[in-house]
Amino acid sequence: MDGYKYKKNDKGVFLPIIDDVNTQFGATNGLVQRSVCRLVEELQPLKKRKTVSMNISFLQIYNEKIYDLLNPSMFKKIKGDQLIQPAFHHTNSQNGNADPTGLKLKWNPFDVYTVENLFNFTCTTSDEILRLFHYGLRNKVIGSHKMNLTSSRSHTIFCVTVEQIDPLHPDNMVISKLQLVDLAGSERQELTKVNGKTQKESIEINKSLFTLRQVITALNDLAGNKKDTSGIYVPYRDSKLTCLLRQSIGGNAFCCMIACLHPSDLFFSENYSTLQYAGMAGAISNRPVKNDDPKTKQIEELKGQVKMLTNELMKANQHIEFLSNLTG
């Protein structure tokens, strides 16, 4: 998704080869870079008549725990190197630099899960956004096994939240969100030959992907116009990944899934399963609506009611005046 190659440093840690200076849109950029540049480009005309702000967050779900990739306190520098790596890999819970429990999920009344104490940064240009993305990418957990030299050991969610305020209606704030999700690939132990810590990572990856598949299957059944949908349960809460993707998959959003396949026919069954997976996701039917601020929406509704009652009162007064003239 990021479009970068990885190399191993002298400490044995795989890190992306990133040139922070070259963040311009180009043919070699990955999906994130292209999406960010296009988003900023589309927002430029709006800035002439609206106040537009962009807030950035970047997290990873590692071993079913949430870590902030933009929070330096969760990571430490390698001695003699400018690079950083996760502190929770190398410290225990007694060390203040570690955070073995990760960040907590919080549910709000609007039926949305949010992450407590997640860093958000306000940006104005694509360069600022991509520098944050590069910083978080260096903190991402990368491993290796027999099938992949640079395997993602966590799911990551890079989020751009856009807020728009019209100066003519300052109480009306429109909020929209772009989530770019990089899912770690499912793994078969007989092929990857992993053990120990890497095996535990694979188990957690497969469990969360299995839950995501169950969620997609349930949403697909709901979208299939079945007569009786009362018995269909969507297991969002079974995984932190599906909790965070609840709005993106089955909520007020458009969702696009990109499936990665292996070119070799040795992996036909895996490719077929992946295509089924993506096919079911494509069948999910959402109906997104404009994200107005709830308080503003209520104010607008009350204004509409006042206008309607004012018109009715005016018509009633006209009718009374008409009757008075007839009897007068």
Side-chain angles (χ1 to χ4, degrees):
M1 187 174 77
D2 50 72
Y4 296 119
K5 295 180 180 179
Y6 285 75
K7 68 176 181 179
K8 184 187 288 188
N9 65 356
D10 56 354
K11 306 296 182 181
V13 179
F14 285 96
L15 294 151
I17 305 172
I18 298 173
D19 180 9
D20 278 327
V21 178
N22 184 21
T23 57
Q24 299 300 317
F25 180 84
T28 58
N29 289 121
L31 179 63
V32 174
Q33 295 90 326
R34 291 168 179 261
S35 300
V36 167
C37 292
R38 182 60 183 271
L39 175 64
V40 173
E41 181 183 334
E42 293 292 332
L43 290 175
Q44 287 303 321
L46 285 176
K47 291 183 177 181
K48 296 178 181 179
R49 50 191 176 86
K50 291 184 178 182
T51 302
V52 180
S53 62
M54 295 179 289
N55 297 312
I56 310 301
S57 66
F58 198 7
L59 63 85
Q60 71 174 353
I61 304 174
Y62 173 74
N63 282 346
E64 201 55 20
K65 296 175 183 177
I66 301 172
Y67 296 96
D68 189 348
L69 291 174
L70 301 180
N71 185 350
S73 66
M74 289 191 172
F75 306 90
K76 70 174 185 179
K77 286 190 176 182
I78 304 172
K79 292 183 179 179
D81 200 339
Q82 294 299 316
L83 302 174
I84 51 182
Q85 59 184 350
F88 54 82
H89 266 190
H90 307 279
T91 56
N92 53 42
S93 58
Q94 302 300 322
N95 192 318
N97 293 328
D99 188 11
T101 59
L103 301 178
K104 293 181 180 179
L105 272 179
K106 185 178 180 180
W107 179 85
N108 63 27
F110 301 107
D111 204 23
V112 176
Y113 286 94
T114 57
V115 181
E116 288 186 336
N117 301 319
L118 183 68
F119 279 21
N120 277 273
F121 294 87
T122 301
C123 297
T124 56
T125 65
S126 59
D127 285 351
E128 293 176 355
I129 297 174
L130 291 178
R131 282 190 171 86
L132 287 173
F133 174 66
H134 295 159
Y135 177 83
L137 198 62
R138 292 188 179 101
N139 299 334
K140 181 181 174 182
V141 181
I142 299 292
S144 62
H145 50 69
K146 295 291 183 181
M147 296 293 295
N148 190 351
L149 188 62
T150 55
S151 171
S152 296
R153 313 312 297 162
S154 64
H155 309 296
T156 60
I157 302 177
F158 184 71
C159 182
V160 183
T161 303
V162 180
E163 297 178 353
Q164 303 176 44
I165 301 176
D166 191 340
L168 300 177
H169 305 282
D171 294 330
N172 188 9
M173 177 187 292
V174 180
I175 303 173
S176 54
K177 184 182 293 185
L178 171 66
Q179 282 190 328
L180 298 169
V181 184
D182 187 8
L183 298 175
S186 59
E187 298 178 352
R188 291 167 57 186
Q189 187 180 359
E190 59 183 280
L191 297 176
T192 58
K193 309 295 183 184
V194 296
N195 52 52
K197 183 189 73 174
T198 309
Q199 183 181 10
K200 181 184 177 182
E201 293 170 349
S202 297
I203 293 171
E204 294 297 338
I205 289 171
N206 289 338
K207 282 171 61 178
S208 59
L209 290 176
F210 177 71
T211 303
L212 179 59
R213 187 185 187 99
Q214 288 181 311
V215 168
I216 291 175
T217 301
L219 291 174
N220 195 28
D221 291 339
L222 289 173
N225 297 323
K226 290 188 175 182
K227 293 182 179 179
D228 184 16
T229 59
S230 58
I232 299 177
Y233 168 68
V234 185
Y236 288 115
R237 298 190 179 208
D238 291 0
S239 169
K240 290 182 179 178
L241 174 66
T242 48
C243 284
L244 291 174
L245 296 184
R246 178 170 185 167
Q247 286 297 316
S248 297
I249 301 174
N252 186 33
F254 291 108
C255 181
C256 175
M257 177 179 285
I258 299 176
C260 298
L261 306 178
H262 199 286
S264 173
D265 56 2
L266 295 174
F267 303 97
F268 174 80
S269 59
E270 286 82 358
N271 289 341
Y272 181 71
S273 176
T274 300
L275 289 174
Q276 282 186 317
Y277 195 65
M280 287 190 295
I284 297 173
S285 178
N286 293 337
R287 295 179 177 85
V289 295
K290 187 177 180 181
N291 280 328
D292 288 318
D293 182 62
K295 292 182 180 179
T296 303
K297 186 177 180 181
Q298 186 178 18
I299 292 171
E300 292 299 324
E301 289 176 353
L302 292 174
K303 286 181 178 179
Q305 291 179 10
V306 169
K307 185 177 180 180
M308 180 185 68
L309 293 173
T310 302
N311 290 335
E312 289 181 358
L313 181 61
M314 184 179 64
K315 290 179 181 179
N317 289 332
Q318 290 176 350
H319 187 65
I320 292 172
E321 184 180 358
F322 174 73
L323 293 176
S324 297
N325 291 334
L326 289 178
T327 59

